[in-house]
Amino acid sequence: MELRQLRYFVAVAEELHFGRAAQRVHISGPALSQQIISLERELGADLFVRDRRSVRLTEAGRTFLPDARRILSLADDAKHRLRQAAARSTPVRLGYVSWLPEGITTMVGTAADVRLDEWVLPSHTQADRVAEGTLDIALAWVTAGQAEERGLTAYLLRTEPLHAVIPGISSTEPVAAQRVSVLIDADESAWSSWNRYAEEFAGHAGARVVHIDDGGITGDAFYAHVRRVGAPVLASPKRHTAALPPSLGQRPVAEPIPLWTWSLLHRRDDDRTSVRGVVDALLAVARARDWPAPPAGPWWAPVDDPHLR
């Protein structure tokens, strides 16, 4: 007696129609009839009374139906528990772009075995990797449209106010957004997310757009552009590997404050317990530390931001 035969029997018993039952279990009508006959032979009892107009359970069939359902339920429960155990033992692959919470594995605790991906890639690339399954989770910047197109769920993990780098000494005195310049790089493969954000911010705030072609959105090349521009330049959320030179300082940006949102991404159809555990653990830490809350004062985010609309 096979589990599939029990599933076929339950389907016929509930539909009381071989054609509908066959469609329900995705086999042909003749094949379904043969499997029921085989099951009846093994049990040594007729389970159904069949005639041209109807199908109904025999007394033996009515007696056997609760047992068949119970056996199938036990089998399904066992399979579900096994899949959960397998999911917990399989590492959850997490990718990121720039920002990564310090001690992230401690935050997750026993929810899952988290493995940080060694490839630190742009936001749009990490989103693509989650969609195709080479990453399970990523911390990245996406628009609502990008998440929808890729079948991703985006949770807000953190809002990051962006600052400006300016010739001179660092200060807490804000610089008006309209006095800020933004850099747009020609390399869309590396900087498409930043370019999209910066262009929209410049259009909203009246900031100056400076086109570059050397990847100088970050690092020493960025600092060289600040000196060349001779005015405040909006710094991207990409972490700088080069130290801020003594001749340059940082200042907050205001009226409005440019906000960059870090999304926690996973595939919408990924219902694994391990992935859900990592997501829930990180969101709980984020809420406890108030990471998602926007700052006081007027702030700005792109129109298609999935969180701050």
Side-chain angles (χ1 to χ4, degrees):
M1 184 169 57
E2 300 177 9
L3 286 175
R4 64 190 178 100
Q5 291 176 319
L6 296 183
R7 294 191 193 281
Y8 298 157
F9 163 67
V10 170
V12 177
E14 292 177 350
E15 299 290 343
L16 293 179
H17 190 283
F18 272 81
R20 290 195 298 269
Q23 290 181 339
R24 173 171 153 181
V25 295
H26 308 294
I27 64 171
S28 67
L32 177 60
S33 294
Q34 281 300 118
Q35 289 296 326
I36 295 298
I37 290 170
S38 176
L39 178 61
E40 288 175 325
R41 286 174 180 167
E42 184 172 352
L43 295 174
D46 290 337
L47 300 173
F48 298 100
V49 176
R50 310 165 179 83
D51 57 37
R52 290 185 177 182
R53 295 184 178 180
S54 65
V55 176
R56 59 186 189 276
L57 285 163
T58 64
E59 184 61 34
R62 284 193 292 272
T63 300
F64 185 55
L65 182 57
D67 292 330
R69 285 172 171 157
R70 187 159 48 250
I71 292 168
L72 291 174
S73 178
L74 288 170
D76 289 341
D77 288 346
K79 183 166 65 174
H80 179 68
R81 285 194 298 272
L82 182 60
R83 284 179 175 175
Q84 285 186 318
R88 284 193 295 269
S89 64
T90 302
V92 174
R93 299 158 299 176
L94 188 150
Y96 67 103
V97 177
S98 156
W99 174 70
L100 186 68
E102 187 175 351
I104 190 168
T105 54
T106 303
M107 294 176 187
V108 172
T110 60
D113 177 15
V114 174
R115 300 290 174 85
L116 294 182
D117 189 77
E118 61 184 9
W119 297 103
V120 180
L121 298 169
S123 283
H124 64 280
T125 304
Q126 299 295 49
D128 286 341
R129 295 180 68 203
V130 175
E132 70 189 15
T134 54
L135 285 177
D136 300 311
I137 297 175
L139 300 178
W141 181 89
V142 293
T143 65
Q146 289 170 334
E148 182 64 29
E149 289 168 5
R150 291 163 174 78
L152 303 178
T153 298
Y155 297 97
L156 177 60
L157 197 67
R158 182 190 175 197
T159 58
E160 180 177 353
L162 301 185
H163 64 271
V165 175
I166 186 171
I169 300 172
S170 294
S171 169
T172 58
E173 184 68 24
V175 58
Q178 64 182 8
R179 291 185 51 216
V180 172
S181 296
V182 297
L183 303 182
I184 304 294
D185 195 90
D187 185 2
E188 281 289 313
S189 65
W191 299 107
S192 64
S193 295
W194 170 254
N195 287 349
R196 181 171 183 166
Y197 179 97
E199 285 179 330
E200 192 171 336
F201 173 72
H204 176 85
R208 176 190 174 193
V209 174
V210 178
H211 291 277
I212 61 174
D213 60 4
D214 61 356
I217 303 298
T218 185
D220 287 327
F222 172 77
Y223 298 136
H225 285 302
V226 175
R227 295 189 191 95
R228 179 173 62 83
V229 172
V233 178
L234 189 66
S236 80
K238 184 76 174 176
R239 269 52 188 171
H240 290 268
T241 54
L244 185 70
S247 59
L248 301 179
Q250 294 182 353
R251 289 178 64 177
V253 179
E255 301 296 333
I257 301 167
L259 286 188
W260 182 273
T261 56
W262 290 109
S263 291
L264 180 60
L265 304 173
H266 73 86
R267 291 184 302 283
R268 196 173 300 148
D269 61 356
D270 191 345
D271 59 355
R272 288 175 294 165
T273 304
S274 55
V275 171
R276 184 72 254 175
V278 173
V279 169
D280 289 344
L282 291 178
L283 291 178
V285 171
R287 287 190 294 268
R289 300 186 182 183
D290 216 22
W291 286 344
W299 49 263
W300 173 89
V303 173
D304 199 26
D305 186 278
H307 311 295
L308 305 178
R309 290 187 286 171

